[in-house]
Amino acid sequence: MQLGLVGLGKMGGNMRDRLREAGHEVVGYDRNPALSDAENLADLVAKLAAPRAVWVMVPAGVTEATIDELAPLLSPGDLIIDGGNSRFSSDGPRAGRLSTRGIGYMDVGVSGGVWGKENGYGLMVGGSDENVARMMPVFEALKPAGEFGFVHAGPVGAGHYAKMVHNGIEYGLMHAYAEGFELLEASELVTNVPGVFRSWREGTVIRSWLLDLMDLALTDDEHLEKLKGYADDTGEGRWTVEEAIRLAVPMHVISASLFARFESRQDDSPAMKAIAALRNQFGGHAVQQAG
Amino acid sequence: MQLGLVGLGKMGGNMRDRLREAGHEVVGYDRNPALSDAENLADLVAKLAAPRAVWVMVPAGVTEATIDELAPLLSPGDLIIDGGNSRFSSDGPRAGRLSTRGIGYMDVGVSGGVWGKENGYGLMVGGSDENVARMMPVFEALKPAGEFGFVHAGPVGAGHYAKMVHNGIEYGLMHAYAEGFELLEASELVTNVPGVFRSWREGTVIRSWLLDLMDLALTDDEHLEKLKGYADDTGEGRWTVEEAIRLAVPMHVISASLFARFESRQDDSPAMKAIAALRNQFGGHAVQQAG
Amino acid sequence: MQLGLVGLGKMGGNMRDRLREAGHEVVGYDRNPALSDAENLADLVAKLAAPRAVWVMVPAGVTEATIDELAPLLSPGDLIIDGGNSRFSSDGPRAGRLSTRGIGYMDVGVSGGVWGKENGYGLMVGGSDENVARMMPVFEALKPAGEFGFVHAGPVGAGHYAKMVHNGIEYGLMHAYAEGFELLEASELVTNVPGVFRSWREGTVIRSWLLDLMDLALTDDEHLEKLKGYADDTGEGRWTVEEAIRLAVPMHVISASLFARFESRQDDSPAMKAIAALRNQFGGHAVQQAG
Amino acid sequence: MQLGLVGLGKMGGNMRDRLREAGHEVVGYDRNPALSDAENLADLVAKLAAPRAVWVMVPAGVTEATIDELAPLLSPGDLIIDGGNSRFSSDGPRAGRLSTRGIGYMDVGVSGGVWGKENGYGLMVGGSDENVARMMPVFEALKPAGEFGFVHAGPVGAGHYAKMVHNGIEYGLMHAYAEGFELLEASELVTNVPGVFRSWREGTVIRSWLLDLMDLALTDDEHLEKLKGYADDTGEGRWTVEEAIRLAVPMHVISASLFARFESRQDDSPAMKAIAALRNQFGGHAVQQAG
């Protein structure tokens, strides 16, 4: 089928390739003319036959503006799919606004990173049964072969919600491996830490794709000496904990993983300055002067 | 090669099968005569040609006693392999005691659970290069086919250490999925929670063997209504956090997973009784009477 | 000075008493005629001389509606003080709406609980210098004697913000004592747990008012057997962690205290059901059936 | 009464002063001749009339050696009191060894830091009723005036146990205030953070001696810019969490406080290096190179 695709960066570009390999006709638009199949959004829309389906795959920060610019160019019966990392709570209002123009809306959480082009993308979809059925050929092409990698999670918003939880779990999984790595590195007994991670790839309870990647990373750099212990966070981890708070769900593990990222970006910890100050006050404990 | 195997329970019994399928001669002993190839430990030793290798695969609580009973029956040049879940700190002293009799010692952390017979067992080995080489045919038969599933992690103790960290990581991984499950169940938007987990099995960053098992569990029991939220802990999780404390390794995630298991076994929380008492004292907040 | 006071419950009623003892003229309104000095809000306003100051001291859930009803009855130059537990983020918009009518606004976080009438109330104030100066006689009467118990924390919103953080800290403090209580109760060595808490009231680093209350609670009920380990949460704890997430502040302790309250209200833990399900899948570990 | 006191450092020296002010005869020994009343331990013992009581107040690392040197110099009926920060688990064995010589033993956890000389020391005592009664005059002199500040917590070991829990709670309390400080510092609304802490000293639920100290620290250094966020840990925090693990007591708050101290002493976090490595592997996320 024919699909408009807005945003041809690291994710969108690979998705265009995968869709075309599957025989779909993709008209892509990107601000970078070297990547783009259309001059601008209006040109993109003009190149598509109604009823149109336009997949928006841009950074979360510009999704709203992109859809606001796109919507007036579309016609009743057209459909917008947001495959970016929007907060789930923006989906319902957005769908409402578009419906006043007769435009449909779906949200798709897309996992897989740079490996998705080859392995397929995990897709978590929110929207009506009708719209899911309409886009199924595209989903079939993007998802991995076989019975997994796709879910119609619920109504509009459920796709981004499932992707948000996916990323929250990802934070926790990564931190569990990371704590294990740090302990093994500190141990006097284990002399072959990369070998331990490598061995775990088969036959163990903790085998996973993330573990495979950990093996690759340690093959490159046995003690990870080339990297700083620094990690950004991209929104979904925060939203996951916010939802846990809203819904009164205990979330010790994922929140701790999120807080560890915050800590990784601090030059010094204001909280630990307060601890040092208190210890100095009550016990005359030695403190370290800043600078 | 020939191997004595003490303990033919859920793990040992399957390992005997897998070893025999690979062409090894296994003489097994178990307290249960229906499972055993020998009448007692002395009979087991008598059935083995020196220099003997005896793999002990019994519950951690009886490992020490089993080895104490076995050692006097063996001869210099024989080798004991502990494949159970001993604390790593017992390996060094045990090896020392056995060496005074001229008996060698290795520790092997074995992962894989009830699926190991078919998939192979992940093996983490601690011991001398010489002893590892000697037992390599057995390890080859037990481990999964291919390049993974086996590591010589370091000297005596390193095998159990690596297995301990494996299980600590396992606690954290399981709890990350568990928190994600609880949040999805609480969500108003996601109407197909089992489908979400099922979809994650391919194409996502969080795909893993544990996730596959989570899919199987949810296929059986969509909301896990048949189970109580109760979990024992088998030692390795506690030891992992103890080691983190000894080595000053921050371990927020794995410790939180461990504490959650403790909580799962409490009828009521003494700590939360204290919170309730304090709130009642300062704010006249309503409290719930026990019983 | 003259003050209108809306809400004469556990907090407002005691505050009226304390203000009157200090010589202020308080006209109170409450939905309960037995407590009220005025028939309704209009009557309250009519009984006050312009420029009026009206302190709203009602549950957070009805503050917005109360102010919406009150504002049209007031005149330019009047001042509303919200002393309830509103979320700080509602203060700025509320002040903006009132300013279009020429009505001033301040927010005051009030601590002290049922003991405030006697000890004085800790006051954290947000608003303009001018409005703080105007209300200073009332603040002086409510606060404890001496140099502490009052702060002008910043502009509108800062009072509720400081109170929110106060309550977040309170969660953490209470849980630290609670964990200590649970450990002492579990210990085989310490046979006089109430005596230990009682002793800590003087001479120690951890002496505090909460500790005094813990002593009182244990004097009543040595093992807290009369209470269930159940605790509600009233908003500020959640908002504190939400702010930590927004501002990338690591908050392991206060979030853990909050999550413990969530757990205290669960009959069974969905997360731990997932752990039980996974353990059953991979290890054939015994599980407990629900019900 | 007469008391021998070994160790006249920051704690022991002040305790000697406080005891003498109360009319007791103290013979002190310290390796530093300028502080010492005796030339060596033998001289100290010679200066005391039997039955002797010797209070050992030395760093935890040298307590065992000091007692081993002292014991042979004493006579049956003499009594050793360990007021240092020994691990509670060493008390029972130590008492057993001393009892073979007819020497009694008590353990006393002592709180109060540099302020104890003036305010009195919080005392948590483990030992027999007989020994407690024998030393009561000394305890009365050291403890704060009034009904608090002293407990006979249980048999030998219980004093150090109670002190260990005291310090564990202290970790949690300090970290709760520290998190609050960090959030207030990050807030855009609160412009007077030291004033907020100062106000909390009276009328609030969170007033405490630690809060008073926080006020003093912020009076010196409004943003704690002079200090590094660095904190050692002295053993009791680790032991508290170890006991929690042994006794299956959930301990999210105190363990998080302990882990934060570990983190404060790391130049970079190995765990976060692993997170950075994984993110780089799966997402091509930008990483920061070390150095």
Side-chain angles (χ1 to χ4, degrees):
Chain A
M1 65 179 284
Q2 191 192 50
L3 183 75
L5 180 56
V6 179
L8 301 168
K10 205 157 48 180
M11 291 293 284
N14 283 342
M15 289 164 66
R16 179 172 59 175
D17 291 347
R18 188 170 169 98
L19 285 165
R20 285 179 175 167
E21 278 171 34
H24 293 293
E25 180 195 347
V26 182
V27 185
Y29 168 70
D30 196 275
R31 287 182 310 175
N32 179 349
L35 303 173
S36 192
D37 306 320
E39 287 179 37
N40 48 43
L41 285 180
D43 185 41
L44 174 82
V45 170
K47 287 189 155 89
L48 298 170
R52 303 172 191 86
V54 184
W55 185 300
V56 178
M57 201 70 198
V58 298
V62 297
T63 298
E64 203 73 46
T66 302
I67 292 178
D68 285 350
E69 189 184 345
L70 180 64
L73 305 170
L74 295 177
S75 310
D78 291 350
L79 176 63
I80 291 178
I81 304 108
D82 176 18
N85 285 322
S86 299
R87 198 181 196 283
F88 71 92
S89 50
S90 62
D91 289 312
R94 193 183 286 162
R97 288 195 303 275
L98 291 171
S99 75
T100 64
R101 297 177 179 273
I103 302 171
Y105 179 78
M106 303 180 67
D107 56 290
V108 183
V110 181
S111 187
V114 294
W115 299 73
K117 182 178 173 178
E118 185 182 335
N119 296 343
Y121 296 92
L123 304 178
M124 295 142 255
V125 177
S128 69
D129 288 346
E130 187 190 349
N131 286 335
V132 171
R134 175 170 166 186
M135 295 305 298
M136 209 62 215
V138 164
F139 298 148
E140 285 289 350
L142 287 174
K143 72 180 279 298
E147 62 186 309
F148 309 121
F150 172 85
V151 66
H152 180 192
V156 163
H160 280 139
Y161 202 99
K163 178 59 162 45
M164 173 192 80
V165 177
H166 167 279
N167 283 33
I169 292 172
E170 179 189 310
Y171 276 53
L173 300 182
M174 288 168 71
H175 213 79
Y177 288 118
E179 288 183 356
F181 171 73
E182 182 165 340
L183 183 57
L184 286 174
E185 285 280 289
S187 158
E188 306 89 349
L189 274 175
V190 174
T191 54
N192 184 4
V193 174
V196 168
F197 273 88
R198 191 165 180 73
S199 80
W200 286 343
R201 292 183 62 173
E202 290 292 342
T204 67
V205 174
I206 65 172
R207 62 189 187 264
S208 72
W209 189 63
L210 281 166
L211 182 63
D212 296 348
L213 298 183
M214 190 72 188
D215 176 33
L216 297 184
L218 292 173
T219 301
D220 276 0
D221 182 6
E222 183 176 357
H223 301 292
L224 303 179
E225 289 163 327
K226 297 179 195 159
L227 292 173
K228 279 190 66 174
Y230 177 102
D232 283 315
D233 70 282
T234 52
E236 290 91 349
R238 298 187 188 208
W239 303 335
T240 303
V241 183
E242 287 170 359
E243 273 295 282
I245 292 171
R246 185 179 70 82
L247 294 167
V249 169
M251 195 162 270
H252 293 282
V253 162
I254 294 174
S255 64
S257 311
L258 177 65
F259 295 148
R261 295 202 179 183
F262 295 166
E263 285 155 3
S264 80
R265 305 198 298 260
Q266 295 184 323
D267 283 331
D268 199 356
S269 159
M272 291 311 297
K273 284 172 176 274
I275 301 292
L278 287 171
R279 296 184 82 229
N280 188 37
Q281 287 287 334
F282 71 70
H285 291 284
V287 292
Q288 296 195 359
Q289 303 305 314
Chain B
M1 64 180 285
Q2 192 191 52
L3 183 77
L5 180 57
V6 179
L8 302 167
K10 203 159 48 179
M11 290 292 285
N14 283 343
M15 288 164 66
R16 178 172 61 176
D17 290 347
R18 188 171 169 96
L19 285 164
R20 285 180 175 165
E21 280 171 34
H24 294 293
E25 180 195 348
V26 182
V27 186
Y29 169 72
D30 195 277
R31 288 181 310 176
N32 179 350
L35 303 173
S36 193
D37 306 320
E39 287 179 37
N40 49 41
L41 284 180
D43 184 41
L44 174 81
V45 171
K47 288 191 156 86
L48 298 171
R52 303 170 190 87
V54 184
W55 185 300
V56 178
M57 201 70 200
V58 298
V62 298
T63 299
E64 203 72 46
T66 302
I67 291 178
D68 285 350
E69 188 184 345
L70 179 64
L73 305 169
L74 295 178
S75 311
D78 289 351
L79 175 64
I80 290 178
I81 303 107
D82 175 17
N85 285 322
S86 299
R87 199 181 195 282
F88 71 93
S89 50
S90 62
D91 290 312
R94 193 183 285 162
R97 289 194 303 274
L98 291 170
S99 75
T100 63
R101 297 177 179 271
I103 301 172
Y105 179 78
M106 302 180 68
D107 55 292
V108 184
V110 181
S111 186
V114 293
W115 299 73
K117 182 178 174 179
E118 184 181 337
N119 296 341
Y121 296 92
L123 304 177
M124 295 142 257
V125 177
S128 68
D129 289 344
E130 188 191 347
N131 285 336
V132 172
R134 176 171 166 185
M135 296 305 298
M136 208 62 217
V138 164
F139 297 148
E140 285 289 351
L142 287 173
K143 71 182 277 299
E147 60 185 312
F148 308 121
F150 173 83
V151 66
H152 180 192
V156 163
H160 279 139
Y161 202 100
K163 178 58 161 46
M164 171 191 82
V165 177
H166 168 280
N167 283 33
I169 292 172
E170 179 189 310
Y171 276 53
L173 300 182
M174 288 168 70
H175 213 77
Y177 288 118
E179 288 182 355
F181 171 74
E182 181 165 340
L183 183 57
L184 286 173
E185 285 281 289
S187 158
E188 307 88 349
L189 274 175
V190 174
T191 54
N192 183 5
V193 174
V196 169
F197 273 89
R198 192 166 178 73
S199 81
W200 286 342
R201 292 183 63 172
E202 291 291 343
T204 67
V205 174
I206 65 173
R207 61 191 189 263
S208 72
W209 188 61
L210 281 166
L211 182 63
D212 296 347
L213 298 183
M214 190 73 189
D215 175 34
L216 298 183
L218 291 173
T219 301
D220 276 1
D221 183 5
E222 183 176 358
H223 300 293
L224 303 178
E225 289 163 329
K226 297 180 195 159
L227 292 172
K228 277 189 68 174
Y230 176 102
D232 283 315
D233 70 281
T234 52
E236 290 91 350
R238 299 188 188 207
W239 304 334
T240 303
V241 183
E242 287 170 359
E243 273 294 281
I245 292 171
R246 185 179 70 82
L247 294 167
V249 169
M251 196 163 268
H252 293 282
V253 162
I254 295 173
S255 63
S257 311
L258 177 65
F259 294 148
R261 296 202 179 183
F262 295 167
E263 286 155 2
S264 81
R265 306 197 298 260
Q266 295 185 321
D267 283 331
D268 199 356
S269 159
M272 291 311 298
K273 284 172 177 275
I275 300 291
L278 286 171
R279 296 184 81 229
N280 189 36
Q281 287 287 333
F282 71 70
H285 292 282
V287 294
Q288 296 196 359
Q289 302 304 315
Chain C
M1 65 181 283
Q2 192 191 51
L3 183 75
L5 180 56
V6 179
L8 301 167
K10 204 159 48 178
M11 290 293 285
N14 283 342
M15 288 165 67
R16 178 172 62 176
D17 291 348
R18 188 170 169 97
L19 284 165
R20 285 179 175 167
E21 280 171 32
H24 293 293
E25 181 194 346
V26 182
V27 185
Y29 168 72
D30 196 276
R31 289 181 311 175
N32 179 349
L35 303 173
S36 192
D37 307 319
E39 288 179 36
N40 48 43
L41 284 179
D43 184 42
L44 173 82
V45 170
K47 286 189 156 88
L48 298 171
R52 303 171 189 85
V54 184
W55 185 300
V56 178
M57 201 71 201
V58 298
V62 297
T63 298
E64 203 72 45
T66 302
I67 291 177
D68 285 350
E69 188 185 346
L70 179 64
L73 305 170
L74 295 178
S75 311
D78 290 351
L79 175 64
I80 291 178
I81 303 107
D82 175 16
N85 285 323
S86 299
R87 199 181 195 283
F88 71 91
S89 50
S90 62
D91 289 312
R94 192 183 286 163
R97 289 196 301 275
L98 291 171
S99 74
T100 64
R101 298 178 180 271
I103 301 172
Y105 179 77
M106 303 180 68
D107 55 290
V108 184
V110 181
S111 186
V114 293
W115 299 72
K117 181 177 174 179
E118 184 182 336
N119 295 341
Y121 296 92
L123 304 178
M124 294 142 258
V125 177
S128 68
D129 288 345
E130 188 191 345
N131 286 336
V132 172
R134 177 171 166 186
M135 296 304 298
M136 208 62 217
V138 164
F139 297 148
E140 285 289 350
L142 287 173
K143 71 181 279 298
E147 60 185 312
F148 309 122
F150 172 84
V151 66
H152 180 193
V156 163
H160 280 139
Y161 202 100
K163 178 57 161 46
M164 172 192 82
V165 177
H166 167 280
N167 284 34
I169 292 172
E170 180 188 310
Y171 276 53
L173 300 181
M174 288 167 71
H175 213 77
Y177 288 118
E179 289 183 354
F181 170 73
E182 182 165 341
L183 183 57
L184 286 173
E185 285 281 289
S187 158
E188 306 89 349
L189 274 175
V190 174
T191 54
N192 183 5
V193 174
V196 168
F197 272 89
R198 191 166 179 71
S199 81
W200 285 343
R201 293 184 60 173
E202 290 290 342
T204 67
V205 174
I206 65 172
R207 61 190 188 264
S208 73
W209 188 62
L210 281 166
L211 182 63
D212 295 348
L213 298 183
M214 191 72 189
D215 175 35
L216 297 183
L218 292 172
T219 301
D220 276 1
D221 183 5
E222 184 176 357
H223 301 292
L224 303 178
E225 289 163 329
K226 297 179 195 160
L227 292 173
K228 279 192 65 174
Y230 176 101
D232 283 314
D233 70 281
T234 52
E236 290 91 349
R238 298 188 188 209
W239 303 334
T240 303
V241 182
E242 287 170 359
E243 272 293 281
I245 292 170
R246 186 179 69 82
L247 294 168
V249 168
M251 196 163 268
H252 294 281
V253 162
I254 295 173
S255 63
S257 311
L258 177 66
F259 295 149
R261 295 200 179 185
F262 295 166
E263 286 155 2
S264 80
R265 305 197 299 258
Q266 295 184 321
D267 282 332
D268 199 355
S269 159
M272 291 311 298
K273 283 172 176 276
I275 300 291
L278 286 171
R279 297 184 81 228
N280 189 36
Q281 286 288 334
F282 70 72
H285 291 283
V287 293
Q288 297 197 358
Q289 303 305 315
Chain D
M1 66 179 284
Q2 191 191 51
L3 182 76
L5 180 57
V6 179
L8 301 168
K10 206 157 48 180
M11 291 293 285
N14 284 342
M15 289 164 67
R16 178 172 61 177
D17 290 347
R18 189 172 170 96
L19 286 165
R20 284 180 175 168
E21 279 170 33
H24 293 294
E25 180 194 348
V26 182
V27 186
Y29 168 71
D30 196 276
R31 288 180 312 175
N32 180 349
L35 303 173
S36 192
D37 307 319
E39 286 178 38
N40 48 43
L41 285 179
D43 185 41
L44 174 81
V45 171
K47 287 189 155 88
L48 299 170
R52 302 172 192 85
V54 184
W55 185 301
V56 177
M57 201 72 200
V58 298
V62 298
T63 298
E64 202 74 45
T66 302
I67 291 177
D68 285 350
E69 189 185 345
L70 180 63
L73 305 169
L74 296 177
S75 310
D78 290 350
L79 175 64
I80 290 178
I81 303 107
D82 175 16
N85 285 322
S86 299
R87 201 182 194 282
F88 71 92
S89 50
S90 62
D91 289 313
R94 192 183 285 163
R97 289 196 302 275
L98 292 171
S99 74
T100 64
R101 297 177 180 271
I103 302 172
Y105 179 78
M106 303 180 68
D107 56 290
V108 184
V110 181
S111 186
V114 293
W115 299 73
K117 182 177 173 178
E118 185 182 335
N119 296 343
Y121 296 92
L123 304 178
M124 295 141 257
V125 177
S128 68
D129 288 346
E130 187 191 348
N131 285 336
V132 172
R134 177 171 164 186
M135 295 306 297
M136 209 60 217
V138 164
F139 298 147
E140 285 288 350
L142 287 174
K143 73 180 278 299
E147 61 186 310
F148 309 121
F150 173 84
V151 66
H152 180 193
V156 163
H160 280 139
Y161 202 99
K163 178 57 163 45
M164 173 191 81
V165 177
H166 167 280
N167 283 33
I169 292 172
E170 178 189 310
Y171 277 53
L173 300 182
M174 287 167 72
H175 213 78
Y177 288 117
E179 289 182 355
F181 170 73
E182 182 165 341
L183 184 56
L184 286 174
E185 285 280 290
S187 158
E188 306 89 348
L189 274 175
V190 174
T191 54
N192 183 5
V193 175
V196 168
F197 273 89
R198 191 166 180 73
S199 81
W200 286 343
R201 294 182 62 172
E202 290 291 342
T204 68
V205 174
I206 65 173
R207 61 189 188 264
S208 73
W209 188 62
L210 280 166
L211 182 62
D212 296 348
L213 298 183
M214 190 72 187
D215 175 35
L216 298 184
L218 291 173
T219 300
D220 277 0
D221 182 5
E222 183 176 358
H223 300 293
L224 303 179
E225 289 163 328
K226 297 179 194 160
L227 293 173
K228 279 190 66 174
Y230 177 101
D232 283 315
D233 70 280
T234 52
E236 289 90 349
R238 299 188 188 207
W239 303 335
T240 302
V241 183
E242 287 170 359
E243 273 293 283
I245 293 171
R246 184 179 70 83
L247 294 167
V249 169
M251 195 162 271
H252 293 280
V253 162
I254 295 173
S255 63
S257 310
L258 177 65
F259 295 148
R261 295 201 179 186
F262 296 166
E263 285 155 1
S264 81
R265 305 197 299 259
Q266 295 185 321
D267 282 332
D268 200 356
S269 158
M272 291 311 298
K273 283 171 177 275
I275 300 292
L278 286 170
R279 296 184 81 230
N280 189 37
Q281 287 287 333
F282 71 70
H285 291 283
V287 293
Q288 297 196 358
Q289 303 306 314

